[in-house]
mmCIF file of all heavy atoms in Angstrom:
data_model
loop_
_atom_site.group_PDB
_atom_site.id
_atom_site.type_symbol
_atom_site.label_atom_id
_atom_site.label_comp_id
_atom_site.label_asym_id
_atom_site.label_seq_id
_atom_site.Cartn_x
_atom_site.Cartn_y
_atom_site.Cartn_z
ATOM 1 N N ARG A 77 15.968 0.403 1.276
ATOM 2 C CA ARG A 77 17.041 -0.228 0.560
ATOM 3 C C ARG A 77 16.550 -1.210 -0.535
ATOM 4 O O ARG A 77 17.290 -1.661 -1.377
ATOM 5 C CB ARG A 77 18.050 -0.914 1.489
ATOM 6 C CG ARG A 77 17.534 -2.161 2.170
ATOM 7 C CD ARG A 77 18.585 -2.749 3.107
ATOM 8 N NE ARG A 77 18.105 -3.825 3.925
ATOM 9 C CZ ARG A 77 17.498 -3.697 5.113
ATOM 10 N NH1 ARG A 77 17.360 -2.488 5.652
ATOM 11 N NH2 ARG A 77 17.069 -4.760 5.759
ATOM 12 N N HIS A 78 15.231 -1.540 -0.469
ATOM 13 C CA HIS A 78 14.674 -2.429 -1.470
ATOM 14 C C HIS A 78 13.782 -1.694 -2.493
ATOM 15 O O HIS A 78 13.167 -2.342 -3.323
ATOM 16 C CB HIS A 78 13.830 -3.503 -0.758
ATOM 17 C CG HIS A 78 14.667 -4.475 0.052
ATOM 18 N ND1 HIS A 78 15.392 -5.479 -0.547
ATOM 19 C CD2 HIS A 78 14.892 -4.539 1.369
ATOM 20 C CE1 HIS A 78 16.063 -6.153 0.380
ATOM 21 N NE2 HIS A 78 15.766 -5.592 1.564
ATOM 22 N N HIS A 79 13.746 -0.360 -2.400
ATOM 23 C CA HIS A 79 12.961 0.380 -3.419
ATOM 24 C C HIS A 79 13.579 0.141 -4.807
ATOM 25 O O HIS A 79 14.798 -0.020 -4.915
ATOM 26 C CB HIS A 79 13.014 1.875 -3.081
ATOM 27 C CG HIS A 79 12.116 2.269 -1.954
ATOM 28 N ND1 HIS A 79 11.800 3.567 -1.656
ATOM 29 C CD2 HIS A 79 11.416 1.494 -1.052
ATOM 30 C CE1 HIS A 79 10.966 3.576 -0.604
ATOM 31 N NE2 HIS A 79 10.750 2.347 -0.214
ATOM 32 N N ARG A 80 12.710 0.072 -5.768
ATOM 33 C CA ARG A 80 13.086 -0.122 -7.192
ATOM 34 C C ARG A 80 13.717 -1.500 -7.422
ATOM 35 O O ARG A 80 14.479 -1.665 -8.397
ATOM 36 C CB ARG A 80 14.010 0.999 -7.667
ATOM 37 C CG ARG A 80 13.532 2.399 -7.440
ATOM 38 C CD ARG A 80 12.454 2.867 -8.368
ATOM 39 N NE ARG A 80 12.750 2.735 -9.742
ATOM 40 C CZ ARG A 80 11.869 2.772 -10.719
ATOM 41 N NH1 ARG A 80 10.591 2.941 -10.423
ATOM 42 N NH2 ARG A 80 12.190 2.607 -11.958
ATOM 43 N N SER A 81 13.446 -2.467 -6.569
ATOM 44 C CA SER A 81 13.993 -3.823 -6.743
ATOM 45 C C SER A 81 12.969 -4.862 -7.185
ATOM 46 O O SER A 81 13.295 -6.009 -7.307
ATOM 47 C CB SER A 81 14.653 -4.261 -5.424
ATOM 48 O OG SER A 81 13.649 -4.539 -4.473
ATOM 49 N N GLY A 82 11.693 -4.415 -7.307
ATOM 50 C CA GLY A 82 10.636 -5.349 -7.695
ATOM 51 C C GLY A 82 9.812 -5.831 -6.536
ATOM 52 O O GLY A 82 8.810 -6.548 -6.704
ATOM 53 N N VAL A 83 10.158 -5.453 -5.297
ATOM 54 C CA VAL A 83 9.417 -5.899 -4.128
ATOM 55 C C VAL A 83 7.955 -5.385 -4.221
ATOM 56 O O VAL A 83 7.016 -6.165 -3.986
ATOM 57 C CB VAL A 83 10.070 -5.463 -2.814
ATOM 58 C CG1 VAL A 83 9.185 -5.652 -1.604
ATOM 59 C CG2 VAL A 83 11.407 -6.215 -2.620
ATOM 60 N N GLY A 84 7.783 -4.145 -4.473
ATOM 61 C CA GLY A 84 6.472 -3.557 -4.579
ATOM 62 C C GLY A 84 5.568 -4.256 -5.583
ATOM 63 O O GLY A 84 4.409 -4.559 -5.340
ATOM 64 N N LYS A 85 6.151 -4.555 -6.736
ATOM 65 C CA LYS A 85 5.402 -5.228 -7.786
ATOM 66 C C LYS A 85 5.034 -6.646 -7.345
ATOM 67 O O LYS A 85 3.883 -7.099 -7.566
ATOM 68 C CB LYS A 85 6.265 -5.306 -9.056
ATOM 69 C CG LYS A 85 5.491 -5.742 -10.279
ATOM 70 C CD LYS A 85 6.304 -5.471 -11.515
ATOM 71 C CE LYS A 85 5.564 -5.805 -12.766
ATOM 72 N NZ LYS A 85 4.443 -4.907 -13.074
ATOM 73 N N ARG A 86 5.908 -7.340 -6.646
ATOM 74 C CA ARG A 86 5.571 -8.678 -6.102
ATOM 75 C C ARG A 86 4.479 -8.592 -5.040
ATOM 76 O O ARG A 86 3.609 -9.464 -4.974
ATOM 77 C CB ARG A 86 6.813 -9.375 -5.583
ATOM 78 C CG ARG A 86 7.707 -9.899 -6.701
ATOM 79 C CD ARG A 86 8.759 -10.883 -6.216
ATOM 80 N NE ARG A 86 9.844 -10.265 -5.474
ATOM 81 C CZ ARG A 86 10.794 -9.546 -6.004
ATOM 82 N NH1 ARG A 86 10.838 -9.331 -7.297
ATOM 83 N NH2 ARG A 86 11.748 -9.015 -5.283
ATOM 84 N N LEU A 87 4.514 -7.537 -4.242
ATOM 85 C CA LEU A 87 3.482 -7.379 -3.236
ATOM 86 C C LEU A 87 2.143 -7.083 -3.858
ATOM 87 O O LEU A 87 1.094 -7.604 -3.410
ATOM 88 C CB LEU A 87 3.851 -6.228 -2.258
ATOM 89 C CG LEU A 87 5.102 -6.541 -1.378
ATOM 90 C CD1 LEU A 87 5.487 -5.274 -0.621
ATOM 91 C CD2 LEU A 87 4.814 -7.712 -0.420
ATOM 92 N N LEU A 88 2.099 -6.230 -4.910
ATOM 93 C CA LEU A 88 0.864 -6.019 -5.653
ATOM 94 C C LEU A 88 0.329 -7.300 -6.246
ATOM 95 O O LEU A 88 -0.888 -7.572 -6.218
ATOM 96 C CB LEU A 88 1.036 -4.972 -6.756
ATOM 97 C CG LEU A 88 1.142 -3.521 -6.331
ATOM 98 C CD1 LEU A 88 1.258 -2.622 -7.535
ATOM 99 C CD2 LEU A 88 -0.012 -3.096 -5.436
ATOM 100 N N SER A 89 1.226 -8.098 -6.780
ATOM 101 C CA SER A 89 0.784 -9.382 -7.363
ATOM 102 C C SER A 89 0.146 -10.280 -6.290
ATOM 103 O O SER A 89 -0.894 -10.931 -6.560
ATOM 104 C CB SER A 89 1.978 -10.083 -8.002
ATOM 105 O OG SER A 89 1.603 -11.314 -8.521
ATOM 106 N N ALA A 90 0.728 -10.329 -5.118
ATOM 107 C CA ALA A 90 0.153 -11.132 -4.023
ATOM 108 C C ALA A 90 -1.191 -10.577 -3.632
ATOM 109 O O ALA A 90 -2.135 -11.352 -3.395
ATOM 110 C CB ALA A 90 1.111 -11.137 -2.820
ATOM 111 N N ALA A 91 -1.318 -9.244 -3.571
ATOM 112 C CA ALA A 91 -2.598 -8.647 -3.261
ATOM 113 C C ALA A 91 -3.672 -8.972 -4.283
ATOM 114 O O ALA A 91 -4.806 -9.304 -3.970
ATOM 115 C CB ALA A 91 -2.420 -7.128 -3.122
ATOM 116 N N GLU A 92 -3.299 -8.898 -5.561
ATOM 117 C CA GLU A 92 -4.246 -9.225 -6.630
ATOM 118 C C GLU A 92 -4.666 -10.710 -6.564
ATOM 119 O O GLU A 92 -5.862 -10.994 -6.719
ATOM 120 C CB GLU A 92 -3.635 -8.885 -7.985
ATOM 121 C CG GLU A 92 -3.519 -7.420 -8.226
ATOM 122 C CD GLU A 92 -2.857 -7.102 -9.572
ATOM 123 O OE1 GLU A 92 -3.001 -7.891 -10.524
ATOM 124 O OE2 GLU A 92 -2.152 -6.077 -9.661
ATOM 125 N N THR A 93 -3.716 -11.561 -6.356
ATOM 126 C CA THR A 93 -4.038 -12.997 -6.261
ATOM 127 C C THR A 93 -4.968 -13.266 -5.109
ATOM 128 O O THR A 93 -5.985 -13.987 -5.293
ATOM 129 C CB THR A 93 -2.730 -13.816 -6.093
ATOM 130 O OG1 THR A 93 -1.922 -13.626 -7.276
ATOM 131 C CG2 THR A 93 -3.009 -15.299 -5.944
ATOM 132 N N PHE A 94 -4.715 -12.644 -3.954
ATOM 133 C CA PHE A 94 -5.579 -12.851 -2.824
ATOM 134 C C PHE A 94 -6.960 -12.264 -3.065
ATOM 135 O O PHE A 94 -7.982 -12.906 -2.775
ATOM 136 C CB PHE A 94 -4.963 -12.194 -1.576
ATOM 137 C CG PHE A 94 -5.797 -12.419 -0.356
ATOM 138 C CD1 PHE A 94 -5.745 -13.614 0.340
ATOM 139 C CD2 PHE A 94 -6.620 -11.386 0.158
ATOM 140 C CE1 PHE A 94 -6.546 -13.836 1.486
ATOM 141 C CE2 PHE A 94 -7.406 -11.600 1.257
ATOM 142 C CZ PHE A 94 -7.381 -12.799 1.940
ATOM 143 N N ALA A 95 -7.043 -11.075 -3.671
ATOM 144 C CA ALA A 95 -8.330 -10.468 -3.967
ATOM 145 C C ALA A 95 -9.131 -11.314 -4.933
ATOM 146 O O ALA A 95 -10.322 -11.549 -4.752
ATOM 147 C CB ALA A 95 -8.111 -9.058 -4.554
ATOM 148 N N ARG A 96 -8.491 -11.797 -5.979
ATOM 149 C CA ARG A 96 -9.202 -12.657 -6.954
ATOM 150 C C ARG A 96 -9.705 -13.922 -6.263
ATOM 151 O O ARG A 96 -10.801 -14.387 -6.517
ATOM 152 C CB ARG A 96 -8.268 -13.012 -8.120
ATOM 153 C CG ARG A 96 -8.144 -11.894 -9.095
ATOM 154 C CD ARG A 96 -7.351 -12.396 -10.362
ATOM 155 N NE ARG A 96 -7.239 -11.303 -11.303
ATOM 156 C CZ ARG A 96 -6.211 -10.482 -11.476
ATOM 157 N NH1 ARG A 96 -5.122 -10.669 -10.739
ATOM 158 N NH2 ARG A 96 -6.214 -9.530 -12.360
ATOM 159 N N SER A 97 -8.872 -14.508 -5.406
ATOM 160 C CA SER A 97 -9.284 -15.752 -4.714
ATOM 161 C C SER A 97 -10.441 -15.501 -3.748
ATOM 162 O O SER A 97 -11.140 -16.415 -3.355
ATOM 163 C CB SER A 97 -8.106 -16.378 -3.986
ATOM 164 O OG SER A 97 -7.807 -15.625 -2.807
ATOM 165 N N SER A 98 -10.655 -14.237 -3.418
ATOM 166 C CA SER A 98 -11.775 -13.837 -2.536
ATOM 167 C C SER A 98 -12.964 -13.363 -3.365
ATOM 168 O O SER A 98 -13.890 -12.713 -2.823
ATOM 169 C CB SER A 98 -11.311 -12.738 -1.582
ATOM 170 O OG SER A 98 -10.225 -13.220 -0.802
ATOM 171 N N ASP A 99 -12.920 -13.644 -4.669
ATOM 172 C CA ASP A 99 -13.991 -13.231 -5.618
ATOM 173 C C ASP A 99 -14.181 -11.737 -5.730
ATOM 174 O O ASP A 99 -15.289 -11.248 -6.045
ATOM 175 C CB ASP A 99 -15.317 -13.919 -5.296
ATOM 176 C CG ASP A 99 -15.257 -15.425 -5.458
ATOM 177 O OD1 ASP A 99 -14.587 -15.855 -6.398
ATOM 178 O OD2 ASP A 99 -15.859 -16.140 -4.666
ATOM 179 N N CYS A 100 -13.132 -10.983 -5.513
ATOM 180 C CA CYS A 100 -13.211 -9.527 -5.680
ATOM 181 C C CYS A 100 -13.038 -9.134 -7.146
ATOM 182 O O CYS A 100 -12.298 -9.809 -7.882
ATOM 183 C CB CYS A 100 -12.156 -8.836 -4.833
ATOM 184 S SG CYS A 100 -12.516 -9.013 -3.073
ATOM 185 N N LYS A 101 -13.697 -8.082 -7.544
ATOM 186 C CA LYS A 101 -13.597 -7.571 -8.886
ATOM 187 C C LYS A 101 -12.738 -6.328 -8.977
ATOM 188 O O LYS A 101 -12.320 -5.932 -10.065
ATOM 189 C CB LYS A 101 -15.010 -7.233 -9.442
ATOM 190 C CG LYS A 101 -16.024 -8.303 -9.286
ATOM 191 C CD LYS A 101 -15.761 -9.484 -10.191
ATOM 192 C CE LYS A 101 -16.832 -10.526 -10.112
ATOM 193 N NZ LYS A 101 -16.479 -11.737 -9.441
ATOM 194 N N LEU A 102 -12.451 -5.722 -7.849
ATOM 195 C CA LEU A 102 -11.679 -4.465 -7.784
ATOM 196 C C LEU A 102 -10.644 -4.544 -6.678
ATOM 197 O O LEU A 102 -10.901 -5.073 -5.615
ATOM 198 C CB LEU A 102 -12.571 -3.268 -7.489
ATOM 199 C CG LEU A 102 -13.692 -2.930 -8.486
ATOM 200 C CD1 LEU A 102 -14.583 -1.873 -7.908
ATOM 201 C CD2 LEU A 102 -13.120 -2.493 -9.788
ATOM 202 N N LEU A 103 -9.465 -3.950 -6.941
ATOM 203 C CA LEU A 103 -8.421 -3.731 -5.923
ATOM 204 C C LEU A 103 -8.301 -2.210 -5.786
ATOM 205 O O LEU A 103 -8.175 -1.532 -6.843
ATOM 206 C CB LEU A 103 -7.137 -4.364 -6.352
ATOM 207 C CG LEU A 103 -5.981 -4.351 -5.338
ATOM 208 C CD1 LEU A 103 -6.392 -5.068 -4.042
ATOM 209 C CD2 LEU A 103 -4.753 -4.975 -5.945
ATOM 210 N N THR A 104 -8.388 -1.676 -4.624
ATOM 211 C CA THR A 104 -8.312 -0.237 -4.413
ATOM 212 C C THR A 104 -7.130 0.129 -3.492
ATOM 213 O O THR A 104 -6.641 -0.698 -2.716
ATOM 214 C CB THR A 104 -9.607 0.308 -3.795
ATOM 215 O OG1 THR A 104 -9.743 -0.155 -2.457
ATOM 216 C CG2 THR A 104 -10.820 -0.129 -4.617
ATOM 217 N N VAL A 105 -6.742 1.358 -3.572
ATOM 218 C CA VAL A 105 -5.704 1.886 -2.701
ATOM 219 C C VAL A 105 -5.862 3.407 -2.626
ATOM 220 O O VAL A 105 -6.320 4.039 -3.541
ATOM 221 C CB VAL A 105 -4.278 1.478 -3.162
ATOM 222 C CG1 VAL A 105 -3.914 2.112 -4.483
ATOM 223 C CG2 VAL A 105 -3.248 1.775 -2.092
ATOM 224 N N LYS A 106 -5.530 3.976 -1.462
ATOM 225 C CA LYS A 106 -5.549 5.418 -1.270
ATOM 226 C C LYS A 106 -4.122 5.900 -1.016
ATOM 227 O O LYS A 106 -3.359 5.250 -0.301
ATOM 228 C CB LYS A 106 -6.446 5.785 -0.065
ATOM 229 C CG LYS A 106 -7.867 5.345 -0.208
ATOM 230 C CD LYS A 106 -8.624 5.667 1.109
ATOM 231 C CE LYS A 106 -10.019 5.096 1.101
ATOM 232 N NZ LYS A 106 -10.134 3.919 1.997
ATOM 233 N N THR A 107 -3.841 7.077 -1.534
ATOM 234 C CA THR A 107 -2.574 7.732 -1.262
ATOM 235 C C THR A 107 -2.816 9.256 -1.278
ATOM 236 O O THR A 107 -3.909 9.708 -1.568
ATOM 237 C CB THR A 107 -1.494 7.297 -2.225
ATOM 238 O OG1 THR A 107 -0.214 7.735 -1.752
ATOM 239 C CG2 THR A 107 -1.712 7.879 -3.644
ATOM 240 N N LEU A 108 -1.762 9.956 -0.930
ATOM 241 C CA LEU A 108 -1.860 11.421 -0.894
ATOM 242 C C LEU A 108 -2.015 11.976 -2.286
ATOM 243 O O LEU A 108 -1.209 11.629 -3.175
ATOM 244 C CB LEU A 108 -0.658 11.990 -0.181
ATOM 245 C CG LEU A 108 -0.715 13.452 0.222
ATOM 246 C CD1 LEU A 108 -1.833 13.702 1.243
ATOM 247 C CD2 LEU A 108 0.607 13.872 0.832
ATOM 248 N N ALA A 109 -2.985 12.838 -2.494
ATOM 249 C CA ALA A 109 -3.194 13.502 -3.807
ATOM 250 C C ALA A 109 -2.183 14.645 -3.951
ATOM 251 O O ALA A 109 -1.638 15.124 -2.953
ATOM 252 C CB ALA A 109 -4.602 14.045 -3.900
ATOM 253 N N PRO A 110 -1.921 15.069 -5.150
ATOM 254 C CA PRO A 110 -1.034 16.221 -5.368
ATOM 255 C C PRO A 110 -1.550 17.430 -4.563
ATOM 256 O O PRO A 110 -2.713 17.719 -4.581
ATOM 257 C CB PRO A 110 -1.081 16.451 -6.855
ATOM 258 C CG PRO A 110 -1.451 15.155 -7.454
ATOM 259 C CD PRO A 110 -2.380 14.514 -6.465
ATOM 260 N N ARG A 111 -0.588 18.115 -3.904
ATOM 261 C CA ARG A 111 -0.971 19.282 -3.103
ATOM 262 C C ARG A 111 -0.287 20.564 -3.585
ATOM 263 O O ARG A 111 -0.313 21.562 -2.905
ATOM 264 C CB ARG A 111 -0.547 19.068 -1.650
ATOM 265 C CG ARG A 111 -1.173 17.865 -1.030
ATOM 266 C CD ARG A 111 -0.847 17.750 0.451
ATOM 267 N NE ARG A 111 0.483 17.279 0.698
ATOM 268 C CZ ARG A 111 0.964 16.979 1.902
ATOM 269 N NH1 ARG A 111 0.212 17.162 2.957
ATOM 270 N NH2 ARG A 111 2.203 16.542 2.061
ATOM 271 N N GLY A 112 0.294 20.525 -4.785
ATOM 272 C CA GLY A 112 0.953 21.714 -5.273
ATOM 273 C C GLY A 112 2.290 21.991 -4.585
ATOM 274 O O GLY A 112 2.774 23.121 -4.624
ATOM 275 N N ARG A 113 2.875 20.988 -4.031
ATOM 276 C CA ARG A 113 4.180 21.101 -3.316
ATOM 277 C C ARG A 113 5.155 20.202 -4.034
ATOM 278 O O ARG A 113 4.795 19.292 -4.759
ATOM 279 C CB ARG A 113 4.072 20.677 -1.863
ATOM 280 C CG ARG A 113 3.100 21.373 -1.010
ATOM 281 C CD ARG A 113 3.099 20.775 0.359
ATOM 282 N NE ARG A 113 1.981 21.238 1.147
ATOM 283 C CZ ARG A 113 1.637 20.778 2.329
ATOM 284 N NH1 ARG A 113 2.354 19.799 2.837
ATOM 285 N NH2 ARG A 113 0.594 21.262 2.969
ATOM 286 N N ASP A 114 6.461 20.411 -3.771
ATOM 287 C CA ASP A 114 7.454 19.538 -4.284
ATOM 288 C C ASP A 114 7.538 18.344 -3.352
ATOM 289 O O ASP A 114 8.150 18.406 -2.273
ATOM 290 C CB ASP A 114 8.806 20.289 -4.334
ATOM 291 C CG ASP A 114 9.925 19.429 -4.932
ATOM 292 O OD1 ASP A 114 9.597 18.541 -5.741
ATOM 293 O OD2 ASP A 114 11.083 19.633 -4.585
ATOM 294 N N GLU A 115 6.904 17.250 -3.767
ATOM 295 C CA GLU A 115 6.862 16.026 -2.984
ATOM 296 C C GLU A 115 7.184 14.825 -3.882
ATOM 297 O O GLU A 115 6.300 14.074 -4.258
ATOM 298 C CB GLU A 115 5.481 15.848 -2.303
ATOM 299 C CG GLU A 115 5.187 16.964 -1.303
ATOM 300 C CD GLU A 115 3.793 16.842 -0.694
ATOM 301 O OE1 GLU A 115 2.817 16.681 -1.458
ATOM 302 O OE2 GLU A 115 3.728 16.921 0.534
ATOM 303 N N PRO A 116 8.457 14.718 -4.262
ATOM 304 C CA PRO A 116 8.821 13.666 -5.227
ATOM 305 C C PRO A 116 8.496 12.245 -4.755
ATOM 306 O O PRO A 116 8.215 11.382 -5.568
ATOM 307 C CB PRO A 116 10.317 13.852 -5.451
ATOM 308 C CG PRO A 116 10.792 14.670 -4.294
ATOM 309 C CD PRO A 116 9.609 15.489 -3.813
ATOM 310 N N GLN A 117 8.487 11.997 -3.436
ATOM 311 C CA GLN A 117 8.217 10.701 -2.910
ATOM 312 C C GLN A 117 6.769 10.314 -3.258
ATOM 313 O O GLN A 117 6.497 9.149 -3.603
ATOM 314 C CB GLN A 117 8.477 10.608 -1.421
ATOM 315 C CG GLN A 117 7.492 11.348 -0.501
ATOM 316 C CD GLN A 117 7.785 12.844 -0.347
ATOM 317 O OE1 GLN A 117 8.286 13.506 -1.217
ATOM 318 N NE2 GLN A 117 7.370 13.360 0.819
ATOM 319 N N TYR A 118 5.830 11.249 -3.198
ATOM 320 C CA TYR A 118 4.431 10.922 -3.520
ATOM 321 C C TYR A 118 4.234 10.859 -5.032
ATOM 322 O O TYR A 118 3.344 10.087 -5.493
ATOM 323 C CB TYR A 118 3.467 11.905 -2.871
ATOM 324 C CG TYR A 118 3.457 11.720 -1.381
ATOM 325 C CD1 TYR A 118 3.974 12.685 -0.495
ATOM 326 C CD2 TYR A 118 2.906 10.566 -0.794
ATOM 327 C CE1 TYR A 118 3.952 12.484 0.866
ATOM 328 C CE2 TYR A 118 2.911 10.367 0.557
ATOM 329 C CZ TYR A 118 3.438 11.331 1.396
ATOM 330 O OH TYR A 118 3.399 11.143 2.745
ATOM 331 N N GLU A 119 4.995 11.625 -5.789
ATOM 332 C CA GLU A 119 4.953 11.481 -7.248
ATOM 333 C C GLU A 119 5.355 10.064 -7.638
ATOM 334 O O GLU A 119 4.749 9.479 -8.521
ATOM 335 C CB GLU A 119 5.842 12.516 -7.934
ATOM 336 C CG GLU A 119 5.292 13.943 -7.880
ATOM 337 C CD GLU A 119 3.977 14.106 -8.609
ATOM 338 O OE1 GLU A 119 3.732 13.443 -9.601
ATOM 339 O OE2 GLU A 119 3.139 14.901 -8.117
ATOM 340 N N LYS A 120 6.398 9.562 -7.007
ATOM 341 C CA LYS A 120 6.846 8.190 -7.251
ATOM 342 C C LYS A 120 5.811 7.173 -6.858
ATOM 343 O O LYS A 120 5.564 6.177 -7.587
ATOM 344 C CB LYS A 120 8.147 7.893 -6.529
ATOM 345 C CG LYS A 120 9.344 8.655 -7.088
ATOM 346 C CD LYS A 120 10.572 8.387 -6.271
ATOM 347 C CE LYS A 120 11.726 9.254 -6.770
ATOM 348 N NZ LYS A 120 12.912 9.143 -5.915
ATOM 349 N N THR A 121 5.129 7.411 -5.731
ATOM 350 C CA THR A 121 4.071 6.494 -5.299
ATOM 351 C C THR A 121 2.935 6.467 -6.325
ATOM 352 O O THR A 121 2.484 5.364 -6.743
ATOM 353 C CB THR A 121 3.547 6.920 -3.936
ATOM 354 O OG1 THR A 121 4.625 6.842 -2.988
ATOM 355 C CG2 THR A 121 2.382 6.047 -3.470
ATOM 356 N N ARG A 122 2.473 7.630 -6.736
ATOM 357 C CA ARG A 122 1.363 7.697 -7.699
ATOM 358 C C ARG A 122 1.789 7.080 -9.027
ATOM 359 O O ARG A 122 1.023 6.344 -9.662
ATOM 360 C CB ARG A 122 0.911 9.122 -7.861
ATOM 361 C CG ARG A 122 0.239 9.679 -6.604
ATOM 362 C CD ARG A 122 -0.334 11.046 -6.777
ATOM 363 N NE ARG A 122 0.657 12.104 -6.894
ATOM 364 C CZ ARG A 122 1.154 12.823 -5.859
ATOM 365 N NH1 ARG A 122 0.713 12.606 -4.627
ATOM 366 N NH2 ARG A 122 2.012 13.783 -6.061
ATOM 367 N N ALA A 123 3.010 7.330 -9.482
ATOM 368 C CA ALA A 123 3.521 6.719 -10.722
ATOM 369 C C ALA A 123 3.581 5.210 -10.625
ATOM 370 O O ALA A 123 3.311 4.515 -11.617
ATOM 371 C CB ALA A 123 4.895 7.315 -11.083
ATOM 372 N N PHE A 124 3.953 4.706 -9.453
ATOM 373 C CA PHE A 124 3.961 3.250 -9.222
ATOM 374 C C PHE A 124 2.596 2.629 -9.478
ATOM 375 O O PHE A 124 2.459 1.645 -10.156
ATOM 376 C CB PHE A 124 4.462 2.986 -7.802
ATOM 377 C CG PHE A 124 4.302 1.553 -7.318
ATOM 378 C CD1 PHE A 124 5.182 0.579 -7.798
ATOM 379 C CD2 PHE A 124 3.340 1.200 -6.442
ATOM 380 C CE1 PHE A 124 5.052 -0.744 -7.368
ATOM 381 C CE2 PHE A 124 3.214 -0.116 -5.991
ATOM 382 C CZ PHE A 124 4.075 -1.093 -6.458
ATOM 383 N N TYR A 125 1.579 3.244 -8.916
ATOM 384 C CA TYR A 125 0.217 2.731 -9.135
ATOM 385 C C TYR A 125 -0.200 2.871 -10.561
ATOM 386 O O TYR A 125 -0.802 1.971 -11.137
ATOM 387 C CB TYR A 125 -0.783 3.391 -8.159
ATOM 388 C CG TYR A 125 -0.538 3.012 -6.719
ATOM 389 C CD1 TYR A 125 -0.303 3.946 -5.753
ATOM 390 C CD2 TYR A 125 -0.497 1.653 -6.324
ATOM 391 C CE1 TYR A 125 -0.075 3.623 -4.444
ATOM 392 C CE2 TYR A 125 -0.258 1.322 -5.014
ATOM 393 C CZ TYR A 125 -0.044 2.305 -4.076
ATOM 394 O OH TYR A 125 0.196 1.927 -2.785
ATOM 395 N N ASP A 126 0.133 4.011 -11.179
ATOM 396 C CA ASP A 126 -0.221 4.226 -12.591
ATOM 397 C C ASP A 126 0.437 3.112 -13.452
ATOM 398 O O ASP A 126 -0.237 2.503 -14.304
ATOM 399 C CB ASP A 126 0.304 5.552 -13.100
ATOM 400 C CG ASP A 126 -0.414 6.785 -12.556
ATOM 401 O OD1 ASP A 126 -1.610 6.644 -12.156
ATOM 402 O OD2 ASP A 126 0.217 7.867 -12.496
ATOM 403 N N ARG A 127 1.696 2.805 -13.237
ATOM 404 C CA ARG A 127 2.436 1.811 -14.009
ATOM 405 C C ARG A 127 1.863 0.372 -13.820
ATOM 406 O O ARG A 127 2.016 -0.469 -14.657
ATOM 407 C CB ARG A 127 3.914 1.717 -13.579
ATOM 408 C CG ARG A 127 4.789 2.738 -14.184
ATOM 409 C CD ARG A 127 6.279 2.435 -13.943
ATOM 410 N NE ARG A 127 6.631 2.037 -12.595
ATOM 411 C CZ ARG A 127 6.890 2.880 -11.574
ATOM 412 N NH1 ARG A 127 6.820 4.191 -11.764
ATOM 413 N NH2 ARG A 127 7.247 2.416 -10.407
#
Side-chain angles (χ1 to χ4, degrees):
R77 70 181 174 271
H78 292 283
H79 284 191
R80 307 286 305 163
S81 71
V83 168
K85 192 167 184 70
R86 284 194 288 286
L87 293 171
L88 284 183
S89 179
E92 289 178 33
T93 298
F94 182 79
R96 282 188 178 98
S97 74
S98 301
D99 294 324
C100 291
K101 309 291 185 252
L102 299 171
L103 185 61
T104 69
V105 67
K106 298 176 188 108
T107 192
L108 192 62
R111 301 186 283 185
R113 301 179 193 170
D114 183 28
E115 297 176 311
Q117 72 277 30
Y118 290 111
E119 287 299 325
K120 290 176 185 174
T121 298
R122 292 185 289 268
F124 170 74
Y125 293 123
D126 290 335
R127 279 192 314 276

